[in-house]
């Protein structure tokens, strides 16, 4: 087994559960589900879903049929009756049989998907559960207004389908003052008049904080569960769930005028102690953080200098007592002081990209 230094990602499952419970309390009496697509935003869907199932969550959402199949296979002995796993992208031809075999609930986004699912219901002579998604402004997934009209005017309607939710997706929920939010809400309410008996499901993480009018029967937070700030301003109501630590490999002394890294984008203006850390863009530490990121050793800052490489970064260790330095010494990349939201600002992106960029080279440790 290799003894090479490895970055460690600690994932706090109780903090994820606490965030879910915080959102549950905020939206009650509406139900609170959990979006666990993209391997629970990179944190490990099996472990996250197991923790949320134990906490009482019963509505889950992934993007792909393959994600749903994987979860149902790994959690087959723990999947409780009444818990549902929705496939946000719906079904492509051939996916329907996998949904039926594994008990997955497709989100139907087009008339073609609706008709195909109805065809399987007729073959089985049994109504099949599915959610119905309508487009209220994202223009990405969901029935367009003309398709909604065709469906409501059709004699077949939703025959053979037991609807779980009527869904749509908000465009700018993190911008609470954006008039698009109210516009989409009004369009969603108007469409719901055709199917008032179907529970509504509109709000994502940020949509939850737009108020009770957006909650309907169920909300589906994703990033907020994992510590992402749902509003982008003010104190974060969500608990941080990650600690990422990366080891020091070696260090050296540079004189004023000497440079570091690819293309020498950083040059020392004074004598500088430079450390090389085993972390790079192959680990999901984005190259856009070059010359901007900050690591810490017990609260003492070690600014990132030079370009982020594939497997390593360089930091300024001048503020750290050299007597403390040793190979393998762990520096904090993400912690309670600098969470994914702060790192996203440094990298010039959003916290979603930071989360989903985390790679599997880390030694993962789950707090249970």
């Amino acid at each position: 087994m290799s003894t090479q230094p490895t970055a460690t990602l600690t994932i706090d499952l109780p903090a994820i559960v606490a965030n879910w419970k915080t959102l549950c309390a905020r939206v009650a009496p509406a139900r609170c589900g959990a979006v666990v697509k993209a391997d629970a935003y990179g944190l490990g869907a099996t472990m996250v879903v197991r923790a949320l199932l134990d906490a009482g969550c019963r509505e889950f959402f992934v993007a792909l049929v393959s994600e749903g199949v994987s979860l149902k296979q790994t959690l087959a002995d723990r999947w409780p009756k009444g818990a549902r796993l929705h496939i946000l992208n719906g079904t492509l031809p051939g996916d329907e049989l996998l949904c039926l075999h594994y008990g997955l609930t497709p989100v139907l986004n087009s008339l073609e998907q609706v008709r195909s699912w109805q065809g399987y219901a007729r073959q089985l002579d049994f109504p099949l559960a599915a959610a119905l998604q309508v487009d209220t402004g994202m223009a990405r997934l969901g029935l367009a207004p003309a398709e909604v009209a065709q469906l409501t005017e059709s004699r077949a309607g939703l025959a053979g389908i037991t609807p779980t939710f009527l869904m749509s997706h908000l465009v700018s929920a993190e911008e609470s003052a954006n008039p698009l939010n109210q516009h989409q809400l009004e369009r969603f309410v108007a469409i719901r008049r055709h199917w008032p008996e179907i529970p509504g499901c509109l709000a994502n993480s940020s949509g939850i904080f737009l108020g009770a009018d957006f909650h309907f029967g169920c909300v589906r937070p994703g990033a907020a569960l994992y510590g992402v700030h749902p509003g982008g301003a003010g104190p974060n109501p969500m608990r941080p769930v990650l600690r990422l630590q990366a080891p020091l490999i070696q260090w050296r002394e540079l004189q004023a005028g000497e440079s570091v890294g690819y293309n020498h984008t950083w040059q020392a203006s004074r004598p500088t102690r430079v450390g090389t850390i085993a972390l790079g863009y192959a680990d999901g530490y984005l190259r856009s953080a070059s010359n901007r990121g900050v690591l810490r050793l017990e609260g003492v800052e070690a600014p990132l200098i030079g370009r982020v490489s594939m497997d390593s970064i360089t930091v300024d260790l001048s503020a750290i007592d050299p007597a403390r330095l040793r190979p393998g010494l762990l520096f904090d990349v993400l912690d309670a002081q600098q969470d994914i939201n702060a790192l996203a600002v440094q990298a010039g992106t959003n916290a979603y990209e930071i989360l989903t960029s985390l790679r599997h080279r880390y030694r993962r440790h789950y707090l249970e």
Side-chain angles (χ1 to χ4, degrees):
M1 183 178 291
S2 172
T3 58
Q4 289 295 313
T6 304
T8 300
L9 182 65
T10 301
I11 299 161
D12 190 340
L13 294 174
I16 294 174
V17 169
N19 286 338
W20 178 73
K21 290 182 176 179
T22 294
L23 297 174
C24 285
R26 191 176 188 96
V27 303
R31 282 175 286 169
C32 185
V35 178
V36 292
K37 62 183 181 178
D39 199 27
Y41 289 52
L43 303 189
T46 297
M47 298 296 289
V48 169
V49 171
R50 183 181 297 162
L52 289 172
L53 280 172
D54 289 346
C57 185
R58 292 296 180 265
E59 303 288 352
F60 295 90
F61 301 84
V62 293
L64 308 175
V65 170
S66 58
E67 294 177 318
V69 169
S70 177
L71 274 171
K72 280 299 191 77
Q73 287 176 333
T74 57
L75 294 171
D77 60 333
R78 298 181 62 118
W79 198 263
K81 185 177 180 180
R84 295 187 290 203
L85 185 52
H86 285 80
I87 310 299
L88 293 169
N89 284 9
T91 55
L92 293 174
D95 287 341
E96 295 92 345
L97 290 175
L98 286 170
C99 288
L100 291 169
H101 180 75
Y102 287 98
L104 306 174
T105 306
V107 176
L108 305 176
N109 294 291
S110 67
L111 284 178
E112 290 80 8
Q113 289 183 357
V114 171
R115 300 308 181 212
S116 177
W117 200 237
Q118 286 177 315
Y120 279 94
R122 284 195 300 272
Q123 289 178 39
L124 295 169
D125 194 24
F126 189 83
L128 299 177
L132 188 68
Q133 181 154 216
V134 294
D135 176 32
T136 56
M138 180 71 82
R140 188 179 65 178
L141 286 174
L143 294 158
E147 291 181 302
V148 172
Q150 281 184 255
L151 193 59
T152 56
E153 294 166 7
S154 166
R155 182 175 298 178
L158 294 176
I161 295 175
T162 302
T164 57
F165 296 119
L166 181 68
M167 297 172 54
S168 193
H169 196 65
L170 294 167
V171 174
S172 302
E174 74 283 359
E175 301 171 0
S176 59
N178 193 317
L180 278 172
N181 295 318
Q182 189 62 33
H183 176 67
Q184 284 190 270
L185 176 63
E186 291 169 1
R187 291 185 68 177
F188 187 64
V189 168
I191 293 170
R192 285 198 73 232
R193 293 192 185 106
H194 297 293
W195 300 291
E197 73 284 0
I198 305 176
C201 184
L202 177 64
N204 55 3
S205 291
S206 299
I208 289 170
F209 292 82
L210 295 177
D213 287 348
F214 289 79
H215 296 166
F216 295 97
C218 183
V219 299
R220 51 181 199 276
L225 299 174
Y226 314 118
V228 174
H229 196 314
N236 187 359
M238 316 316 300
R239 282 175 52 176
V241 305
L242 295 178
R243 186 178 188 185
L244 175 58
Q245 297 172 291
L248 178 67
I249 304 173
Q250 68 176 85
W251 58 96
R252 68 189 70 237
E253 305 289 338
L254 293 189
Q255 300 305 310
E258 293 187 290
S259 297
V260 152
Y262 283 117
N263 305 109
H264 282 182
T265 61
W266 183 89
Q267 185 179 69
S269 60
R270 52 173 172 73
T272 304
R273 185 176 305 109
V274 176
T276 300
I277 305 289
L279 181 75
Y281 55 74
D283 305 292
Y285 191 84
L286 301 183
R287 193 168 182 264
S288 57
S290 298
N291 291 299
R292 300 170 66 181
V294 177
L295 277 65
R296 288 177 174 81
L297 179 65
E298 295 180 5
V300 180
E301 290 191 355
L304 193 154
I305 55 178
R307 285 258 168 88
V308 175
S309 302
M310 183 179 292
D311 309 299
S312 63
I313 55 176
T314 46
V315 296
D316 183 349
L317 300 178
S318 301
I320 295 171
D321 182 355
R324 301 184 61 193
L325 301 180
R326 55 177 174 77
L329 184 65
L330 291 174
F331 283 71
D332 283 311
V333 183
L334 292 170
D335 57 12
Q337 186 173 356
Q338 176 173 281
D339 64 7
I340 50 177
N341 302 286
L343 181 56
V345 171
Q346 293 171 10
T349 184
N350 62 25
Y352 294 72
E353 186 178 17
I354 298 294
L355 266 177
T356 56
S357 295
L358 299 176
R359 299 291 186 254
H360 293 286
R361 291 206 295 186
Y362 300 127
R363 180 186 296 114
R364 290 184 173 226
H365 175 59
Y366 287 90
L367 302 180
E368 302 228 31

